[in-house]
Amino acid sequence: MKVLVIGGGAREHALCRSLSLDPDVTALHCAPGNAGIAEVAELHPVDQLDGDAVVRLATRLGAELVVVGPEAPLVAGVADAVRAAGVPVFGPSREAARLEGSKAFAKDVMAGAGVPTARSYVCTTPEEIDEALDAFGAPYVVKDDGLAAGKGVVVTDDLARAREHALACDRVVIEEFLDGPEVSLFAITDGTTVLPLQPAQDFKRALDGDEGPNTGGMGAYSPLPWADPKLVEEVLGTVLQPTVDELRRRGTPFSGLLYAGLAITGRGVRVIEFNARFGDPETQVVLARLKTPLAGVLLNSANGTLDDQAPLSWSDEAAVTVVVASHNYPDTPRTGDPIEGLAEVAERDAPLAYVLHAGTKRDGDAVLSAGGRVLSVTATGTDLAQARERAYAAVGRIRLDGSQHRTDIARKAAEA
C-alpha cells in the first residue's frame, strides 16, 4: 500500500513512524513533513489547505490511502476533495469536521445525541457575554467557537481576563467549569462502526503544577492506572457511538478519528470538547502502545469496512511523551535555533526512547527549530515510572537554546 500523510507536526511524525513499521506499507510519503519525518517518509511540498493540490499530489504518487493529520485541512474540506477523486482518505468531511471547527455545532450535536457535557451559552454580543459569565461564576471557561490550534480556551478566576478573551472572539462558547481529571479518548470510525483506542492524559498548561497559559499540549502518558477499567466501554456507549449515530442521522456521517476530551467529574463523565483528528501529544503515546499494524485499520475506516477489523492488540507497557518547546512558547516563540543531541538520543536511547519532530526544519546538516512546540520525546517502559525515566533521560541529551519543558509529566500517576 502506498500511503500519503498530510501535515508536518509531531502527530504526523508519530503516524508516519507507525506506518513505516507496517509491513503492508510499500511506500510512505508526507506533505509537507518536517526534518524528522524525512527519515521515514519521502517529503513533498504542498499547500495542505488546498484540496486540489493534495489530490494532484496523491494522484501523481499513486497513493492508495491519504491520511489527513491536522484539523485545518479537514475543516477546509481537503478530505472531501480526495474522496471525490476516488482515493481512499482517512479523515472526516468538511461538514462532519465542524464537530471541531465549531464549538457551538458540537454542543448542538451533543444535545441531539444525548451526550453528557457542560451547560453552556453561545454568545455574540458583550451583553450576552456578561450574562453568561455572571450566570456561571468563577472559574470561568471561555472557548473561541472556531479553530484556535489548541489555544482558544481560557480557564481563569479573573473575570476581566475571561471577558477580554470572550470579546476578542467573533462567537464564543461560555460554559460551566467541570471538576475532576481529564482524559483523552480516541476512536476510529467509518461512520457506523466505532473502534475506541486506549485512553491517554495530556498536560495543557505550560508550566509544572498546571500553572501558566494553555498550550497545544506539553506532554502525555498512557495507560491511566487510576481510571475505571470500564471507562472505555462506558464512553463508547454514552459518548462515541451516540455522536457517530447522530451525525449519520443528520446526513453528515463522520469517518476518521473522533477525539473526545473528557472530564471525570463527581457526577460522571462529561465531554469537554470533540476534535476531528488525532490529538497532539496524545497520539505519540497511544501509537507507541498499539501493536496492530496501523495502515489496514485506517484503510478500513476510509473504505467503510471497519466491522471487518479484528480487535486491536495493545502492548502492556506504558508510554510517556515530553514536549520540548522553544523560547517564549506559547506567546511569541523564537525559531531558527539549532537543535543538538538528536543523534545521541538515537544512538543511546532508541528504540526504548525516541524523538518525534514537531516544529523543525533542516538547514544543510543542521536541524533548526521552526515552531513553538519543537520536539516530542517519547519513551516506553514496563510502567509509567520507567517510561518517565527514559523519556527525561533522552530530554536531557537535547540542547536547544532557551528551550523549555515540563518536569512533572505523568509524575503523579507514576507515584500513585
Side-chain angles (χ1 to χ4, degrees), residues 96-108:
R98 289 179 65 208
L99 204 60
E100 176 169 5
S102 169
K103 303 290 190 297
F105 175 75
K107 287 289 188 182
D108 187 60

Side-chain angles (χ1 to χ4, degrees), residues 305-368:
T305 54
L306 207 53
D307 56 341
D308 296 335
Q309 176 66 45
L312 299 180
S313 176
W314 296 93
S315 167
D316 291 330
E317 291 201 314
V320 172
T321 193
V322 179
V323 170
V324 177
S326 55
H327 176 72
N328 206 37
Y329 175 77
D331 294 327
T332 50
R334 192 174 76 208
T335 60
D337 290 313
I339 305 165
E340 298 178 333
L342 297 174
E344 192 177 345
V345 173
E347 181 181 331
R348 297 180 60 175
D349 302 291
L352 301 175
Y354 48 89
V355 178
L356 297 169
H357 291 229
T360 67
K361 66 178 181 180
R362 186 165 286 282
D363 183 17
D365 291 334
V367 175
L368 307 180

Side-chain angles (χ1 to χ4, degrees), residues 8 100 107 112 131 137 141 175 197 262 282 312 320 332 406:
E100 176 169 5
K107 287 289 188 182
E131 286 179 19
V141 181
E175 63 183 36
L197 306 187
L262 310 166
E282 300 98 318
L312 299 180
V320 172
T332 50
R406 283 184 58 158

Side-chain angles (χ1 to χ4, degrees), residues 132-356:
L133 292 171
D134 183 60
F136 287 130
Y140 305 100
V141 181
V142 184
K143 299 180 176 182
D144 190 333
D145 180 52
L147 291 180
K151 296 185 284 291
V153 179
V154 165
V155 181
T156 180
D157 289 319
D158 184 338
L159 176 59
R161 181 157 183 263
R163 191 171 189 273
E164 179 186 26
H165 181 65
L167 291 170
C169 305
D170 288 334
R171 189 157 78 147
V172 66
V173 175
I174 297 173
E175 63 183 36
E176 67 174 327
F177 177 76
L178 295 175
D179 64 326
E182 295 186 11
V183 174
S184 298
L185 185 59
F186 302 161
I188 292 171
T189 179
D190 59 5
T192 302
T193 301
V194 181
L195 190 65
L197 306 187
Q198 289 290 299
Q201 186 175 64
D202 77 330
F203 295 75
K204 286 294 187 194
R205 299 286 188 169
L207 307 176
D208 284 7
D210 289 329
E211 300 290 334
N214 258 357
T215 72
M218 294 298 290
Y221 70 93
S222 179
L224 312 181
W226 49 267
D228 186 328
K230 295 181 179 178
L231 176 66
V232 173
E233 183 182 346
E234 177 189 347
V235 175
L236 175 61
T238 61
V239 174
L240 299 170
Q241 190 72 57
T243 299
V244 169
D245 291 346
E246 173 68 12
L247 284 165
R248 188 176 67 254
R249 186 188 68 77
R250 291 175 177 226
T252 54
F254 188 106
S255 171
L257 195 291
L258 177 59
Y259 165 130
L262 310 166
I264 314 300
T265 76
R267 295 174 290 130
V269 175
R270 298 289 185 271
V271 174
I272 300 170
E273 65 175 353
F274 282 128
N275 290 333
R277 39 73 195 180
F278 279 102
D280 182 347
E282 300 98 318
T283 301
Q284 289 85 302
V285 292
V286 172
L287 291 186
R289 299 185 55 229
L290 179 63
K291 294 167 68 176
T292 302
L294 183 60
V297 185
L298 303 186
L299 186 62
N300 277 333
S301 166
N303 286 337
T305 54
L306 207 53
D307 56 341
D308 296 335
Q309 176 66 45
L312 299 180
S313 176
W314 296 93
S315 167
D316 291 330
E317 291 201 314
V320 172
T321 193
V322 179
V323 170
V324 177
S326 55
H327 176 72
N328 206 37
Y329 175 77
D331 294 327
T332 50
R334 192 174 76 208
T335 60
D337 290 313
I339 305 165
E340 298 178 333
L342 297 174
E344 192 177 345
V345 173
E347 181 181 331
R348 297 180 60 175
D349 302 291
L352 301 175
Y354 48 89
V355 178
L356 297 169

